[in-house]
């Protein structure tokens, strides 16, 4: 199978995530898109992150009804740090016959040389699906020097530029601003019912 690896904190998952995952599946002819929830992102150690159980529950709500979408526990079930190179290696060990295409934003591609073992990560991926993000362009001049052979693995996706982010949603909830149509209806109600992102919400674990 051709499998897309869609990693993220998903705090919370929103309609932008759903649209990008669906577009990637269509444009890259993917059989499956794995939503790889990262419990403790190495690059976000100073940020407060919502409890993994809540984020996992919201991802399950986000992917419900789409047969091509599934939640991967590859990072949930192992101790940190959760580096992308190790994630892809574990996926390949579990399913050696599958082809894994890692999905990332243009900003992540620009930052790829600063990732943990970027050459090993790139060598483990059979492809990289790069999605545009608002305000971000891709300058490959540095990346191709730092990671030889990467250009041949990149496919740029024609995706809508959706100016929605988890950070913005969390901030809007905390300030009492509307977020209902930034999110799938079931996740909007989950946030309300569990009082997530309000100043008085439960501590992160």
């Amino acid at each position: 199978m051709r499998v897309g690896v869609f990693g993220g904190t998903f705090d919370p998952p929103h309609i932008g995530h759903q649209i990008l995952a669906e577009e990637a599946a269509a444009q890259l002819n993917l059989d499956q898109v794995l939503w790889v929830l990262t419990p403790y992102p190495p690059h976000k150690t100073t940020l407060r992150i919502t409890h993994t159980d809540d984020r996992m529950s919201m991802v399950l709500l986000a992917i419900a009804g789409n047969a091509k979408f599934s939640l991967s526990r590859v990072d949930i079930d192992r101790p940190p740090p959760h580096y992308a190179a190790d994630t892809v290696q574990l996926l390949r060990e579990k399913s050696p016959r599958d082809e894994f295409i890692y999905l990332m934003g243009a900003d992540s591609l620009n930052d790829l040389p600063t990732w943990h073992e970027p050459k090993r990560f790139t060598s483990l991926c059979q492809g990289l699906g790069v999605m545009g993000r608002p305000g971000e362009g891709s300058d490959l001049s540095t990346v191709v020097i730092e990671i030889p052979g990467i250009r041949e693995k990149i496919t740029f996706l024609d995706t809508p530029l959706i100016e929605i982010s988890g950070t913005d949603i969390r901030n809007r909830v905390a300030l009492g601003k509307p977020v209902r149509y930034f999110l799938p209806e079931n996740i909007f109600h989950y946030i309300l019912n569990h009082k997530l992102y309000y100043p008085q919400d439960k501590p992160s674990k």
Side-chain angles (χ1 to χ4, degrees), residues 14-205:
H14 49 72
I15 60 169
H17 291 128
Q18 293 176 312
I19 292 170
L20 292 175
E22 180 74 359
E23 286 292 326
Q27 294 182 40
L28 295 171
N29 193 29
L30 302 176
D31 299 294
Q32 185 179 27
V33 177
L34 295 179
W35 290 53
V36 180
L37 188 151
T38 305
Y40 307 102
H43 60 294
K44 296 183 179 180
T45 55
T46 61
L47 297 180
R48 185 173 185 228
I49 299 173
T50 305
H51 195 293
T52 301
D53 288 346
D54 282 319
R55 290 184 287 128
M56 185 167 57
S57 294
M58 288 190 286
V59 168
L60 290 172
L61 291 173
I63 66 178
N66 191 318
K68 286 193 174 184
F69 292 173
S70 60
L71 170 67
S72 172
R73 296 186 60 96
V74 64
D75 285 348
I76 296 171
D77 292 337
R78 67 186 180 97
H82 301 114
Y83 294 120
D86 298 330
T87 299
V88 177
Q89 181 172 332
L90 289 169
L91 291 172
R92 290 192 61 171
E93 289 173 355
K94 182 178 180 181
S95 304
R97 295 184 180 182
D98 290 345
E99 182 179 358
F100 291 95
I101 295 87
Y102 199 94
L103 309 178
M104 63 172 60
D107 53 344
S108 295
L109 178 62
N110 293 337
D111 293 339
L112 191 55
T114 68
W115 286 25
H116 178 73
E117 298 186 290
K119 293 180 182 178
R120 181 168 75 92
F121 164 74
T122 305
S123 69
L124 288 165
C125 298
Q126 280 95 349
L128 300 172
V130 179
M131 305 174 283
R133 298 191 67 173
E136 291 289 347
S138 296
D139 180 5
L140 294 181
S141 58
T142 300
V143 178
V144 297
I145 294 173
E146 296 287 338
I147 310 173
I150 190 175
R151 190 188 297 272
E152 291 72 24
K153 295 198 172 187
I154 296 173
T155 300
F156 287 100
L157 304 178
D158 182 14
T159 55
L161 296 180
I162 303 165
E163 297 192 39
I164 298 176
S165 71
T167 300
D168 186 35
I169 290 172
R170 295 192 303 272
N171 290 339
R172 291 177 70 89
V173 172
L175 294 172
K177 294 183 177 181
V179 296
R180 180 169 188 168
Y181 300 111
F182 289 55
L183 300 154
E185 187 79 6
N186 51 10
I187 294 178
F188 171 72
H189 288 294
Y190 186 96
I191 290 170
L192 290 182
N193 293 337
H194 291 79
K195 295 183 170 55
L196 300 183
Y197 311 130
Y198 292 89
Q200 71 274 19
D201 68 2
K202 57 188 174 183
S204 175
K205 294 181 182 179

